[in-house]
């Protein structure tokens, strides 16, 4: 249904590229005004906003490092001052193992800095976002949150200890939050993308090499790599009224990988 989010406001973290950019565009196409956030890739965030505006939608960029409480609080405040409310939050910002070829390091070799940075952004970032988003949603007595976990939470890969732990943690936090706010009419769910193309993360993992992409495709039961649009469609649906009785749910969008 087009324009099902008219009058609504959506916040997308990690909206400078990949899944977040496509999800921000999808929210806008449904009529939502969108806050796009990212920390370092400001050019990418502004580009996402430009793309939405050129397509006739409304969006604003806010610089925010999701691992910093003051940044996250300011981002939610900015959203309220700009648009007056916050209906949907897609907590999607995340980093991969370390931006190099995998596997990066088994537990015995994993540098403490990689562990801390990954947990700070991927897990604490989701905690901080929900903390401030839920404060506003509880005031409104309305809201839907979708957090990005990963198929890695169900299918851990040796060498990805911090990443996999962070994404398993996101599932726990999602269920915890869902139970805490269910009676207030607020829903919280998670998506678990499988390998997804046109993302910086996927390019890191495959070294952007076609032969590596093919290898990855062959381990996916549906024999194709996911597209950001596959994940965005699930996120929009989880936020929609069609999913109004769904909370605490963990939804793989992975071509069947997590069923193996
Ligand atoms: P991506 O690298 O293209 O996007 C990540 C986004 O997060 C970027 O916009 C980046 O600027 C932002 N970001 C990074 N650190 C941040 C911080 N501290 N504060 C705010 N923003 C920050 O990759 P993507 O695949 O689109 O990643 C989106 C999410 O999907 C991530 O959580 C990732 O773990 C998850 N995921 C991706 C895949 C895949 O194959 N691409 C698979 C499973 C899960």
């Amino acid at each position: 249904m087009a324009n099902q989010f008219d009058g609504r406001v959506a916040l997308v973290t990690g909206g400078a590229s990949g899944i977040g950019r496509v999800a921000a565009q999808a929210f806008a196409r449904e009529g939502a005004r969108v806050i796009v956030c990212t920390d370092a890739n400001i050019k990418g965030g502004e580009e996402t906003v430009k793309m939405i505006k050129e397509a006739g939608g409304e969006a604003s960029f806010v610089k925010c490092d999701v691992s910093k409480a003051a940044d996250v609080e300011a981002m939610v405040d900015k959203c309220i001052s700009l648009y007056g409310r916050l209906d949907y939050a897609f907590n999607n910002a995340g980093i991969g193992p370390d931006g190099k070829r995998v596997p990066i390091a088994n537990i015995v070799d994993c540098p403490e800095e990689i562990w801390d940075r990954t947990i700070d952004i991927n897990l604490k970032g989701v905690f901080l976002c929900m903390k401030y988003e839920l404060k506003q949603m509880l005031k409104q007595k309305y809201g839907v949150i979708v957090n990005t976990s990963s198929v890695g939470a169900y299918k851990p890969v040796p060498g990805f200890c911090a990443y996999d732990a962070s994404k398993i943690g996101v599932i726990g936090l999602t269920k915890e939050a869902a139970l805490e706010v269910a009676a207030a009419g607020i829903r919280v769910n998670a998506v678990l993308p499988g390998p997804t193309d046109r993302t910086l993360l996927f390019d890191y993992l495959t070294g952007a090499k076609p032969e590596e992409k093919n290898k990855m495709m062959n381990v996916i039961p549906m024999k194709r790599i996911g597209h950001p649009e596959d994940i965005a469609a699930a996120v929009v649906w989880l936020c929609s009224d069609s999913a109004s009785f769904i909370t605490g749910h963990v939804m793989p969008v992975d071509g069947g990988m997590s069923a193996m």
Side-chain angles (χ1 to χ4, degrees):
M1 192 203 339
N3 298 333
Q4 61 178 325
F5 296 158
D6 269 354
R8 301 288 191 188
V9 178
L11 185 156
V12 178
T13 72
S17 57
I19 294 168
R21 167 174 285 173
V22 172
Q25 291 174 301
F27 276 114
R29 264 197 307 279
E30 297 292 338
R33 290 163 290 166
V34 185
I35 293 282
V36 174
C37 126
T38 192
D39 64 336
N41 187 1
I42 294 167
K43 195 163 165 253
E46 288 175 343
E47 181 68 22
T48 304
V49 166
K50 190 166 165 251
M51 290 161 98
I52 290 173
K53 287 187 168 169
E54 280 174 0
E58 169 57 28
S60 298
F61 173 71
V62 176
K63 184 179 184 311
C64 166
D65 178 344
V66 295
S67 68
K68 305 257 179 340
D71 272 27
V72 176
E73 186 175 18
M75 171 178 68
V76 174
D77 284 351
K78 182 79 182 167
C79 174
I80 307 313
S81 68
L82 278 174
Y83 296 134
R85 53 187 296 120
L86 171 60
D87 299 289
Y88 313 117
F90 180 33
N91 297 321
N92 162 77
I95 54 167
D98 70 347
K100 297 209 182 97
R101 288 290 296 124
V102 291
I104 60 130
N106 288 341
I107 291 170
V108 289
D109 299 319
C110 181
E112 190 179 347
E113 311 82 70
I114 287 185
W115 174 269
D116 286 347
R117 189 167 145 69
T118 309
I119 299 296
D120 273 1
I121 295 173
N122 291 9
L123 182 57
K124 184 179 160 196
V126 171
F127 158 72
L128 289 173
C129 285
M130 289 205 291
K131 181 180 169 83
Y132 293 102
E133 291 157 0
L134 284 172
K135 277 187 184 164
Q136 175 63 25
M137 289 175 176
L138 285 164
K139 273 191 221 156
Q140 299 170 178
K141 299 188 170 48
Y142 181 81
V144 188
I145 291 176
V146 180
N147 298 319
T148 303
S149 174
S150 168
V151 69
Y154 284 167
K155 299 281 166 192
V157 178
F160 276 62
C161 59
Y163 184 80
D164 289 340
S166 73
K167 294 301 187 179
I168 290 167
V170 168
I171 293 178
L173 264 181
T174 298
K175 293 186 178 190
E176 172 73 26
L179 294 174
E180 287 181 8
V181 297
I186 298 163
R187 300 187 293 108
V188 187
N189 294 295
V191 285
L192 279 66
T196 305
D197 63 12
R198 299 189 344 259
T199 62
L200 300 179
L201 186 60
F202 182 74
D203 284 348
Y204 290 151
L205 297 182
T206 59
K209 291 185 188 145
E211 64 273 20
E212 295 294 331
K213 291 187 182 182
N214 286 342
K215 259 192 233 163
M216 208 173 267
M217 199 162 70
N218 280 330
V219 300
I220 299 172
M222 290 183 79
K223 302 294 177 210
R224 77 161 171 88
I225 302 293
H227 307 308
E229 288 78 6
D230 296 318
I231 320 301
V235 172
V236 164
W237 182 77
L238 283 167
C239 289
S240 75
D241 288 348
S242 302
S244 66
F245 203 45
I246 297 177
T247 197
H249 183 58
V250 172
M251 180 186 279
V253 187
D254 65 354
M257 262 181 102
S258 54
M260 290 193 296

